Amino acid sequence: MNTSSTARIFPIYDPKNPPEHPGEEWTRFVCISDTHSHTHYNVPPGDVLLHAGDLSSWGSYPQLAKTVNWLRTLPHPVKVVVAGNHDLCLDEEVELYKSSVVTAAKDMMRNEAALQAGIHYLEYDSAEVTVQNGRTWHFYGSPAAPKYASGSFQYRDIKQGDKIYNRIPSSTEILLTHTPPYGIHDLCKKGTHVGCRSLASHLQSDQLANCRLHVFGHIHEAFGVSIDTLPGGLERVSVNAAIRRSDFPIIVDLRN
């Protein structure tokens, strides 16, 4: 466990006996990513479930539906979700699936059944969500990642990245992106940093001075969590939640 006055982080714990919720002055976020149609994970309860993309394995509608049906069964009253580069049937620009399939996939993420299950699907969107303790949190979600192979929601250069991340409101407290920022939990198997430089620059700017939690995935081998103090004194937790079979969903408690 890593703790401070405003955050408690649990990357490892007994899944049969997860750490006790710290009380109404805190909000518990449970962070996962890159589940790729697998639904065997032991996900602990919490106030908010955050999923940072790659819901499906190879982007088909049935694979996406498997994950969405699983998410609906989880006990978290709020579930904030973005897509990733594997979620092809959610990206109309890929042109792999008919427009009717893309429309149906997007509807599945946002229909009444999803809303009743507490799912908030963000695709370059923001949302204000009030959790059970009465705290309203400001979320923003982006599915994008720098292009490196065929896939969905990808951009080619810093200019395109800047256009995407300029859209993030300054009120954002909880940020979900599929890609990591450059230099933060983005070290790949080859030993190089492969995160997004544009996103890293925006995270260091006044635009995101209110961001307390940034959850991402994409680079599976860089799974992990850290906490840093920003120049203004605000603490920010960064989580690569690209979960593998041996990993636990990362628990982050933030003081309201």
Side-chain angles (χ1 to χ4, degrees):
M1 181 178 71
N2 188 355
T3 64
S4 72
S5 60
T6 61
R8 308 190 327 159
I9 303 169
F10 299 91
I12 300 175
Y13 49 88
D14 180 355
K16 296 181 180 179
N17 186 29
E20 184 178 355
H21 192 293
E24 292 186 358
E25 293 183 356
W26 297 73
T27 300
R28 170 157 291 181
F29 298 88
V30 179
C31 310
I32 58 175
S33 186
D34 297 79
T35 52
H36 293 286
S37 302
H38 298 295
T39 59
H40 61 274
Y41 304 107
N42 189 348
V43 183
D47 301 300
V48 181
L49 177 74
L50 301 175
H51 195 306
D54 278 1
L55 303 156
S56 58
S57 50
W58 297 107
S60 72
Y61 182 92
Q63 291 169 348
L64 179 66
K66 180 181 179 182
T67 297
V68 173
N69 290 335
W70 171 62
L71 291 175
R72 289 175 185 166
T73 69
L74 297 179
H76 312 78
V78 176
K79 307 173 182 77
V80 184
V81 179
V82 299
N85 61 294
H86 276 250
D87 299 319
L88 302 168
C89 67
L90 285 168
D91 187 359
E92 59 270 12
E93 294 186 8
V94 171
E95 298 182 350
L96 178 66
Y97 294 102
K98 295 180 179 179
S99 60
S100 59
V101 174
V102 177
T103 299
K106 289 182 182 292
D107 178 70
M108 177 169 55
M109 301 302 302
R110 292 171 169 152
N111 62 19
E112 187 62 28
L115 292 174
Q116 288 296 323
I119 295 174
H120 299 262
Y121 173 64
L122 302 182
E123 188 178 302
Y124 310 113
D125 295 319
S126 57
E128 296 181 12
V129 182
T130 302
V131 298
Q132 288 183 330
N133 60 30
R135 172 65 151 87
T136 298
W137 292 93
H138 296 251
F139 297 85
Y140 187 86
S142 167
K147 185 174 180 61
Y148 74 100
S150 60
S152 53
F153 302 108
Q154 297 189 80
Y155 51 95
R156 294 185 178 276
D157 53 38
I158 289 179
K159 183 177 180 180
Q160 289 181 325
D162 285 343
K163 185 176 180 180
I164 289 169
Y165 300 118
N166 281 337
R167 300 166 63 177
I168 304 174
S170 60
S171 59
T172 300
E173 297 171 290
I174 313 298
L175 176 64
L176 277 80
T177 63
H178 185 56
T179 183
Y182 184 85
I184 300 179
H185 301 295
D186 70 332
L187 198 65
C188 72
K189 295 176 183 177
K190 296 180 180 180
T192 57
H193 293 281
V194 293
C196 177
R197 293 180 183 273
S198 176
L199 177 57
S201 176
H202 280 74
L203 282 163
Q204 293 301 315
S205 71
D206 291 341
Q207 175 191 358
L208 290 177
N210 293 313
C211 179
R212 295 180 59 189
L213 174 60
H214 179 205
V215 180
F216 46 90
H218 193 41
I219 309 303
H220 296 211
E221 57 268 36
F223 175 89
V225 58
S226 58
I227 183 169
D228 298 292
T229 302
L230 304 180
L234 183 77
E235 291 181 327
R236 177 183 295 155
V237 180
S238 300
V239 180
N240 183 326
I243 190 169
R244 299 163 295 188
R245 292 178 183 270
S246 59
D247 296 322
F248 303 102
I250 292 177
I251 296 173
V252 177
D253 296 332
L254 294 183
R255 187 182 291 276
N256 294 334

